[in-house]
Amino acid sequence: MTLPDGNWPGILRPLSVPAFLEEMATEWDGVYVLGSLNRHITVHSQQKRAVNLIRALKQCGRTEGKRIAIVGAGFAGLTEAACALEETTAQVTLFDTASRPLWLQDGCEGRWLHPGI
């Protein structure tokens, strides 16, 4: 069954780049949040959001010749830093309170890491 406007119910439509950046923006100009307060997220979803944010910023001209500060050296932060370094001319600085990246994964040597779980 389609709706009167021709859309299928329950189908998500992609956001435009400006709408995506607006969803990720904070009250401070140039500060974006990847979803640090979300629950039940996967490694894959974190990485997708990180890449999407960098590419959206690049598409809007907000990365070239700029400085990017990334707070958090988990899966999302590392992915975002790598993407920014690979795809832009921005100067990237990665911050974390821990002395090494991915510290939350300590002790996980016997656990399989699947991006969708």
Coordinates of all heavy atoms in Angstrom, one line a residue, residues 29-68:
D29 N 28.9 26.8 16.8 CA 29.2 26.8 15.4 C 30.4 25.9 15.1 O 31.5 26.1 15.7 CB 29.5 28.2 14.9 CG 29.6 28.3 13.4 OD1 28.9 27.6 12.7 OD2 30.4 29.1 12.9
G30 N 30.3 25.0 14.1 CA 31.4 24.2 13.7 C 31.6 23.0 14.6 O 32.6 22.3 14.4
V31 N 30.8 22.7 15.6 CA 30.9 21.5 16.5 C 29.8 20.6 16.1 O 28.6 20.9 16.2 CB 30.9 21.9 17.9 CG1 30.9 20.7 18.8 CG2 32.0 22.9 18.3
Y32 N 30.2 19.3 15.9 CA 29.2 18.3 15.5 C 29.4 17.1 16.4 O 30.5 16.8 16.9 CB 29.4 17.8 14.0 CG 29.3 19.0 13.1 CD1 30.4 19.8 12.7 CD2 28.1 19.3 12.5 CE1 30.3 20.9 11.9 CE2 28.0 20.4 11.6 CZ 29.1 21.2 11.3 OH 29.0 22.2 10.5
V33 N 28.3 16.3 16.6 CA 28.3 15.2 17.5 C 27.8 14.0 16.6 O 26.8 14.0 15.9 CB 27.4 15.3 18.7 CG1 27.3 14.1 19.5 CG2 27.8 16.5 19.5
L34 N 28.6 12.9 16.7 CA 28.3 11.7 15.9 C 27.2 10.8 16.5 O 26.7 9.9 15.9 CB 29.6 10.8 15.8 CG 30.6 11.3 14.8 CD1 31.8 10.4 14.7 CD2 30.0 11.4 13.4
G35 N 26.8 11.1 17.7 CA 25.8 10.2 18.4 C 26.3 9.5 19.6 O 26.0 8.4 19.9
S36 N 27.1 10.3 20.4 CA 27.8 9.7 21.5 C 26.8 9.3 22.6 O 27.1 8.5 23.5 CB 28.8 10.6 22.1 OG 28.2 11.8 22.5
L37 N 25.6 9.8 22.5 CA 24.5 9.4 23.5 C 23.6 8.3 23.1 O 22.7 7.9 23.8 CB 23.7 10.7 23.9 CG 24.6 11.8 24.4 CD1 23.7 13.0 24.7 CD2 25.3 11.5 25.7
N38 N 23.8 7.8 21.9 CA 23.0 6.7 21.3 C 23.4 5.4 22.0 O 24.5 5.2 22.5 CB 23.2 6.6 19.8 CG 22.7 7.8 19.1 OD1 22.2 8.7 19.6 ND2 22.9 7.7 17.8
R39 N 22.4 4.5 22.1 CA 22.6 3.2 22.6 C 22.4 2.1 21.6 O 21.8 2.4 20.6 CB 21.7 3.0 23.8 CG 21.9 3.9 25.0 CD 23.3 3.6 25.6 NE 23.6 4.5 26.7 CZ 24.5 5.5 26.7 NH1 25.2 5.6 25.6 NH2 24.7 6.3 27.7
H40 N 22.9 0.9 21.8 CA 22.7 -0.2 20.9 C 23.2 0.1 19.5 O 22.5 -0.1 18.5 CB 21.3 -0.7 20.9 CG 20.7 -0.9 22.2 ND1 21.1 -1.9 23.0 CD2 19.8 -0.2 22.9 CE1 20.5 -1.9 24.2 NE2 19.7 -0.9 24.1
I41 N 24.5 0.6 19.5 CA 25.0 1.0 18.2 C 26.1 -0.1 17.8 O 26.6 -0.7 18.7 CB 25.6 2.4 18.2 CG1 26.7 2.6 19.3 CG2 24.6 3.4 18.3 CD1 27.4 3.9 19.3
T42 N 26.4 -0.2 16.6 CA 27.4 -1.1 16.1 C 28.7 -0.4 15.7 O 28.6 0.8 15.4 CB 26.9 -1.9 14.9 OG1 26.6 -1.0 13.8 CG2 25.6 -2.7 15.3
V43 N 29.7 -1.1 15.5 CA 31.0 -0.6 15.0 C 30.7 0.0 13.6 O 31.1 1.1 13.3 CB 32.1 -1.6 15.0 CG1 33.3 -1.1 14.2 CG2 32.5 -2.1 16.4
H44 N 30.0 -0.8 12.8 CA 29.7 -0.3 11.5 C 28.9 1.0 11.4 O 29.2 1.9 10.7 CB 28.9 -1.5 10.8 CG 28.6 -1.2 9.3 ND1 27.4 -1.1 8.8 CD2 29.4 -1.0 8.3 CE1 27.4 -0.8 7.5 NE2 28.7 -0.8 7.2
S45 N 27.8 1.1 12.3 CA 27.0 2.3 12.3 C 27.9 3.5 12.7 O 27.7 4.6 12.2 CB 25.8 2.2 13.2 OG 26.1 2.1 14.5
Q46 N 28.8 3.3 13.7 CA 29.7 4.4 14.1 C 30.6 4.8 13.0 O 30.8 6.0 12.7 CB 30.5 3.9 15.3 CG 29.8 3.7 16.6 CD 30.7 3.2 17.6 OE1 31.6 4.0 18.1 NE2 30.6 2.0 18.0
Q47 N 31.1 3.9 12.3 CA 32.0 4.2 11.2 C 31.3 4.9 10.0 O 31.8 5.8 9.4 CB 32.7 2.9 10.7 CG 33.7 2.4 11.7 CD 34.4 1.1 11.3 OE1 33.8 0.2 10.9 NE2 35.7 1.1 11.4
K48 N 30.1 4.4 9.7 CA 29.3 5.1 8.7 C 29.0 6.5 9.0 O 29.1 7.4 8.1 CB 28.0 4.3 8.4 CG 28.2 3.1 7.6 CD 26.9 2.3 7.2 CE 25.6 2.8 7.7 NZ 24.5 1.9 7.3
R49 N 28.6 6.8 10.2 CA 28.3 8.2 10.6 C 29.6 9.0 10.5 O 29.5 10.2 10.1 CB 27.8 8.2 12.1 CG 26.3 7.9 12.1 CD 25.7 8.4 13.5 NE 26.4 7.8 14.6 CZ 26.0 6.7 15.2 NH1 24.9 6.1 14.9 NH2 26.7 6.3 16.3
A50 N 30.7 8.5 10.9 CA 32.0 9.2 10.9 C 32.3 9.6 9.5 O 32.7 10.8 9.2 CB 33.1 8.4 11.5
V51 N 32.3 8.7 8.6 CA 32.6 8.9 7.1 C 31.6 9.9 6.5 O 31.9 10.8 5.8 CB 32.7 7.6 6.4 CG1 32.7 7.8 4.9 CG2 33.9 6.8 6.8
N52 N 30.3 9.7 6.8 CA 29.3 10.6 6.3 C 29.5 12.0 6.8 O 29.3 12.9 6.0 CB 27.9 10.1 6.7 CG 27.4 8.9 5.9 OD1 28.0 8.5 4.9 ND2 26.4 8.2 6.5
L53 N 29.9 12.2 8.0 CA 30.1 13.6 8.5 C 31.3 14.2 7.8 O 31.1 15.4 7.3 CB 30.3 13.5 10.0 CG 30.6 14.9 10.7 CD1 29.5 15.9 10.4 CD2 30.8 14.8 12.2
I54 N 32.4 13.5 7.7 CA 33.5 14.1 7.0 C 33.2 14.4 5.5 O 33.5 15.5 5.0 CB 34.8 13.2 7.1 CG1 35.3 13.1 8.5 CG2 35.9 13.6 6.1 CD1 35.8 14.4 9.1
R55 N 32.5 13.5 4.9 CA 32.2 13.8 3.4 C 31.2 14.9 3.3 O 31.2 15.7 2.3 CB 31.7 12.5 2.8 CG 32.8 11.5 2.6 CD 32.4 10.2 1.9 NE 33.6 9.4 1.7 CZ 33.5 8.1 1.4 NH1 32.3 7.5 1.2 NH2 34.6 7.4 1.2
A56 N 30.2 15.0 4.2 CA 29.3 16.1 4.2 C 30.0 17.5 4.4 O 29.7 18.4 3.7 CB 28.2 15.9 5.2
L57 N 30.9 17.5 5.4 CA 31.6 18.7 5.6 C 32.5 19.1 4.4 O 32.6 20.3 4.1 CB 32.5 18.5 6.9 CG 31.8 18.5 8.2 CD1 32.7 18.0 9.3 CD2 31.1 19.8 8.5
K58 N 33.1 18.1 3.8 CA 33.9 18.3 2.6 C 33.0 18.9 1.5 O 33.4 19.9 0.8 CB 34.6 17.1 2.2 CG 35.5 17.2 1.0 CD 36.2 16.0 0.5 CE 37.0 16.2 -0.7 NZ 37.6 15.0 -1.2
Q59 N 31.9 18.3 1.3 CA 31.0 18.7 0.2 C 30.5 20.1 0.4 O 30.3 20.9 -0.6 CB 29.8 17.8 0.1 CG 28.9 18.0 -1.1 CD 27.8 17.0 -1.3 OE1 28.0 15.9 -0.8 NE2 26.7 17.4 -1.9
C60 N 30.4 20.6 1.6 CA 30.0 22.0 1.9 C 31.2 22.9 2.0 O 31.0 24.1 2.4 CB 29.2 22.0 3.2 SG 27.5 21.2 3.0
G61 N 32.4 22.4 1.7 CA 33.6 23.3 1.7 C 34.0 23.7 3.1 O 34.7 24.7 3.3
R62 N 33.8 22.8 4.1 CA 34.1 23.1 5.5 C 35.4 22.4 6.0 O 35.6 22.4 7.2 CB 32.9 22.8 6.4 CG 31.7 23.7 6.1 CD 30.6 23.4 7.1 NE 29.4 24.1 6.7 CZ 28.3 24.0 7.3 NH1 28.2 23.3 8.4 NH2 27.2 24.7 6.9
T63 N 36.1 21.8 5.1 CA 37.3 21.0 5.5 C 38.6 21.5 4.9 O 39.6 21.4 5.5 CB 37.2 19.5 5.2 OG1 37.0 19.4 3.8 CG2 36.0 18.9 6.0
E64 N 38.6 22.0 3.7 CA 39.8 22.3 3.0 C 40.5 23.5 3.6 O 40.0 24.6 3.8 CB 39.5 22.6 1.5 CG 38.8 21.5 0.8 CD 39.5 20.2 1.0 OE1 40.7 20.0 0.7 OE2 38.8 19.2 1.3
G65 N 41.8 23.2 4.0 CA 42.6 24.2 4.7 C 42.2 24.5 6.1 O 42.7 25.4 6.7
K66 N 41.3 23.7 6.7 CA 40.8 23.9 8.1 C 41.5 23.0 9.0 O 42.3 22.1 8.6 CB 39.3 23.6 8.1 CG 38.5 24.4 7.2 CD 38.3 25.8 7.6 CE 37.4 26.5 6.6 NZ 36.7 27.6 7.1
R67 N 41.2 23.2 10.3 CA 41.7 22.3 11.3 C 40.5 21.6 11.9 O 39.5 22.2 12.2 CB 42.4 23.1 12.4 CG 43.7 23.7 11.9 CD 44.5 24.4 12.9 NE 43.8 25.0 14.0 CZ 44.3 25.6 15.0 NH1 45.6 25.8 15.1 NH2 43.6 26.1 16.0
I68 N 40.7 20.3 12.1 CA 39.6 19.4 12.6 C 40.1 18.8 13.9 O 41.1 18.2 14.0 CB 39.2 18.3 11.7 CG1 38.6 18.9 10.4 CG2 38.2 17.4 12.3 CD1 38.2 17.9 9.3

